[in-house]
Amino acid sequence: MSRVALLTADSVDAPRAALLGEIQAGFGALPNMFRAVAHSESALRQMWSSFGALGQGRLDARLGEQIAVAIANRNGCGYCLAAHTALGRKAGASAADMRAAQTGDSEDARTAAALRFALAVVEKRGSVDDSEVEALRAAGFDDGELVEIVGHIALNLFTNYVNLVLDVPLDFPAVELRKAA
């Protein structure tokens, strides 16, 4: 059970109702995570605008969702794991792709490099080595894409923490957490 009430557009003021309406239109439903975050207009605006900004970035949606799944699995966030697995499938990833991403793996070398880097950033709290940045560049990522990966990491840490702290109930099909091999 959620540690906060799950709000709706009918239960909040006009600015938050408008944001919730945008979110519902974007997803075709109103995910519980946003309903929980709606207690704070600024946090809701931050979260939604971050999704929008990164969605217009140079990294494709599939890679963004694979990064999200790797971070969610690492942080034990079942909500984000479920949501981003479903979104990754919509973005063209196979079930096997999303399952592999949970532990930072991919058959595609470029994707694998991004996932390894993202997990290193999370594990090391940002204090990665020069060699880890160089490995990302060697896989074909430029400085702009490096910064976008960091943006995806930051957004996913935010959503993981929101869902874990607030104990947001799943409204996506559950996905089993995996341990790294």
Side-chain angles (χ1 to χ4, degrees):
M1 180 163 184
S2 181
R3 292 182 174 136
V4 297
L6 299 177
L7 303 175
T8 64
D10 296 334
S11 63
V12 296
D13 59 19
R16 290 181 290 162
L19 283 169
L20 291 175
E22 287 178 31
I23 294 163
Q24 184 159 353
F27 281 97
L30 185 55
N32 285 340
M33 175 182 71
F34 292 102
R35 294 178 62 204
V37 173
H39 285 276
S40 167
E41 181 184 345
S42 61
L44 183 62
R45 188 172 304 286
Q46 175 192 7
M47 185 180 283
W48 183 235
S49 66
S50 292
F51 276 113
L54 289 170
Q56 295 176 24
R58 291 179 40 221
L59 299 180
D60 66 30
R62 178 177 168 165
L63 179 56
E65 298 304 339
Q66 287 171 297
I67 291 169
V69 162
I71 294 169
N73 192 79
R74 166 56 185 88
N75 287 329
C77 182
Y79 188 95
C80 288
L81 179 59
H84 291 288
T85 296
L87 293 170
R89 296 298 309 277
K90 281 187 171 184
S94 69
D97 291 336
M98 296 311 289
R99 184 163 168 75
Q102 286 182 251
T103 55
D105 298 319
S106 175
E107 290 182 6
D108 176 71
R110 189 170 192 268
T111 299
L115 297 176
R116 282 191 302 272
F117 180 77
L119 289 174
V121 170
V122 172
E123 290 288 336
K124 296 179 178 185
R125 296 185 176 117
S127 296
V128 294
D129 301 322
D130 289 343
S131 64
E132 290 162 311
V133 173
E134 289 309 316
L136 192 64
R137 286 190 175 121
F141 290 94
D142 64 26
D143 290 347
E145 292 166 316
L146 165 66
V147 173
E148 278 188 35
I149 290 170
V150 174
H152 278 275
I153 294 165
L155 174 57
N156 284 287
L157 289 173
F158 176 36
T159 62
N160 286 183
Y161 292 171
V162 160
N163 287 298
L164 290 167
V165 169
L166 302 180
D167 197 19
V168 177
L170 279 178
D171 50 355
F172 292 90
V175 175
E176 186 176 337
L177 292 165
R178 295 186 62 204
K179 296 211 186 281

